[in-house]
Every structure is written in structure tokens, then in C-alpha cells.
Amino acid sequence: MLSKLLLVLLLIFVVLSIAFVIKNKRIKRIALQKFKEMDPQELSDWSPEKLDSKRAHMDPLADQTVAIIMAKQESAEINHLFHSIVKDSEQLPPTAPKELHDYFEESAKLPEWADPDLIALGQQIYLRHGIWIGLLLCYKSLPECYACARGAEVLHKTARLNEKKGSLDAYSRRIAETALFVVFAMSPDGLDKKGKGLRATQKVRLIHATIRYFLKQHNWDADTYGEPINQEDLAGTLMSFSALILEGLETIGVEFEPVEMEAYIHCWRVIGHIAGLDEDMIPKNAKDALKLGHSILDKEIAPSDHAKELVKALREFQDTKSKPILGSQSNIAMMRLMMGKDISDLLGVEPIDQSQIDRMEKKLKRITAVGEFLDKSLIFSFFLQGFTKLGLMLMLKRMTTRSIINFYIPKSLTQDWGTKS
């Protein structure tokens, strides 16, 4: 009986493995054909003048939707409405205004240039390296966003990531929501018509519009900071989640083939479109995305006490959640490795001996070398993807027990500024 069971399990494994190999080879073959038609060297004009002009541009579709809904209903009803669309169900509540239905219908349209085959390969790449991408989100992407002082002002002002008198649990939920958004959007089928990633991106876009609405109602200084969550800040955030992630992966020894890089960035180009990024702010390819990310970072990086407060909260979160796993001072070493000395010093990251950073780099490269070796074999890659899925779920579970993208008016807008909710 046991031998028959083992034989059945072996047959299932063989069938699944063969199907996995065939599917992934097909995805890669088609993507390579399309890669030959691309110009991976084409670059856009990301001059300071162009980027600065985009600080006055926001998101007309989402902003008009929120403004119309706010004009029709009391904020308590707004919160009830927003809460009702938190769940990842396909149907909006029956009481949802027509404008909200129109928004979800319009924002679900993918751009004409969106390529399902490149998206499929890009999402496969994410699935193979999702744990490392999740770590880089916390140790590189978010703090480098904070280094852009004018953009960080929105985060500090609304307290989405640093609520006044809030608990670390609240901060953990915000980080987990960001990580969950990335998982949903970059998982296979996430950007399909009924994909969780599509709906999550639509919700995040509405969150941004809601925050803009309240900030502009409460004396936001657009002359100093630009419009809240403007096109440049949105592009900078998306590049930190995509192109700068690829840079971080290279630091720890994970390198992609050119077609894999283009496919990964293609996914984020599509996500940028769904999130409300202007067409002329969407990079043309991976090289262009990296240029855009660094152009914004170099232009906007500046000392900021508020940015330091955000990083301090992030460091507390890291020490609470990952110190028992990675070891003493490992979080400091990891952050300084990923961002470098200048940005780390600017953000007030604690100093540490260079030898500890070097040891962290060697440790990470040893681990990734094993993963890259296994990834080269499609059979082992089959196991690796399963391990990555499990690892991502455990990582999210450690951050928070919630499994949804929260959608509500931030407390700092409803309590600190006296708005009803």
C-alpha cells in the first residue's frame, strides 16, 4: 500500500515537473522573440526641468472620483463605503456611487503596449526571487523613498507609515500592506482582468487620491513640496520598487538576463499605468527605468528631520521583526549595504564598522549563490518557487495577521485635523 502511494506521488511529481518545464520554456521562448524587437538602449529625457514640472501634476481620474464622492456624502459614510471595498471581491457594494463603478471600469484598462507574455515572464521572475525582493523593499526601496525629502513629507503628514501616538502594530500593518500590494501585483495572473494585483493597484490609487483630497483641504504647502503624491513622487516610488530593486539584487549576487530584466520592468510599467502614472512618465525599458529612478533620487535627496523619523520607525520595525532571525546589528549592516554610506548617513542610520557590512555582503552572496545554482535547473526551480511562495506568506504573516489592503481615511486626517469619520 505504501509503495503504491509513493509511486502515485512520484508520478504526480513527474507530471507537474514536466508541465512546469514546458510552460516556463514556452514563456521564455516567446519573450525572447519579443525582446529581439525591443530597443533596450532607448532613453527618455529625465531632465530636472521636466521632472520638476511634474510636481504640479496629479491624477485627474482618481482625484475627480474622490472629489465627487466626497461632495455627495458625509465622511462617516465615505469610510463605510471605503471599508466595504477592502475585501478582494469582484463586486462593488450595491450602494457604491456610479462614479466609483466608472473609476474601477476605466482604471482597469491596460495600455495598448501591455504584453501578456512579457508580464508572464516578469511575474515568474518575481516568484523565483520574491523573498529577496521583499527584503529589499524594507532595506532599500522604502528608506530611499524617505531620502526624497519633499515626497517623504506626505508620508509624515498623513502618518500612513508613522501614525501619531500609534503602535508598532499599526506601522507593521502599513509595511505589510505595501508588501502585499507587491505580492498581489507581481504574482502570476495578478494583472489579469480579475487579478488581485489589478484590484489592489486600483485601491492604492484611490488611497492616494483620498490623501491628496484631505491634504489640499488642510493648507498643504504646494509651493514648497509640490502637489501631494504628484507624478514625480509616484514615479520615484514605483522605480524604487522596480529598477532600484534590480540594482539591489545585483549587490547581493542575483543577476538577470537582459530579457528577464525587461520582462520584470515591463510588469512595473503596466502597474505604473494602472496606478495613474502619466504616459510620458513611464520609462521605455529597464535601462530607462534605472535612469529615471536615479534622476529623481539625485534631484530630490535632501536632509529632513521627518525623513529621519520615518527611518527610525522603520528601524524599530526591523529590529522587532527580523533581529531574532538575522542576528545582532544585522539590520544596520543590511541597510547600509543596500543604500551606501551617504544616503544612510543622511537618514540617520546608526554607524557600524565596515567589516560587519562586508560580512553581511559575503553571507548574502553565499546564500544567493545556492539559490541561483538551483534556479538554473528548471526541476529545482520548481521546488524553489514553492519555497519562495511559502517564504513570502511566512514573511507577511510575521509582519501582520491581516491579509487585505486596508482602505480607510488615515487617522491623522480624521483625528489630528478634526475631520469626522
Side-chain angles (χ1 to χ4, degrees), residues 216-266:
K216 291 175 72 65
Q217 294 288 318
H218 292 86
N219 302 315
W220 173 259
D221 187 356
D223 290 337
T224 301
Y225 301 111
E227 295 293 353
I229 316 181
N230 56 65
Q231 285 289 311
E232 184 188 37
D233 288 341
L234 179 59
T237 300
L238 291 172
M239 293 310 101
S240 74
F241 287 5
S242 55
L244 299 186
I245 285 286
L246 295 181
E247 192 175 59
L249 287 170
E250 187 175 348
T251 299
I252 59 176
V254 178
E255 295 186 18
F256 294 149
E257 297 174 26
V259 66
E260 293 175 327
M261 291 179 61
E262 294 301 338
Y264 186 81
I265 292 300
H266 187 81

Side-chain angles (χ1 to χ4, degrees), residues 86-187:
V86 163
K87 300 292 184 182
D88 288 290
S89 59
E90 292 304 317
Q91 299 298 322
L92 291 172
T95 56
K98 178 182 180 300
E99 290 79 14
L100 197 58
H101 284 276
D102 292 344
Y103 163 80
F104 275 101
E105 181 180 348
E106 183 64 28
S107 60
K109 297 176 181 176
L110 300 189
E112 291 183 0
W113 47 260
D115 189 305
D117 296 311
L118 291 175
I119 291 172
L121 179 59
Q123 291 173 333
Q124 181 198 98
I125 299 302
Y126 172 77
L127 205 56
R128 284 158 43 192
H129 301 90
I131 294 177
W132 296 116
I133 291 170
L135 285 173
L136 287 168
L137 178 72
C138 196
Y139 291 91
K140 181 176 174 66
S141 298
L142 287 174
E144 286 186 347
C145 283
Y146 303 161
C148 297
R150 292 196 287 181
E153 188 67 19
V154 174
L155 289 172
H156 190 274
K157 194 79 170 177
T158 62
R160 281 290 298 177
L161 293 177
N162 193 22
E163 290 182 359
K164 296 179 182 179
K165 301 180 182 179
S167 66
L168 188 61
D169 180 59
Y171 186 89
S172 298
R173 289 199 303 271
R174 303 300 167 266
I175 297 292
E177 287 168 8
T178 303
L180 196 61
F181 154 66
V182 175
V183 170
F184 282 169
M186 291 302 297
S187 292

Side-chain angles (χ1 to χ4, degrees), residues 10 13 37 96 112 117 124 202 204 218 277 285 289 342 372 386:
L10 179 60
F13 168 74
E37 301 172 3
E112 291 183 0
D117 296 311
Q124 181 198 98
Q202 290 175 299
V204 168
H218 292 86
L277 203 55
N285 50 53
D342 292 343
E372 289 300 283

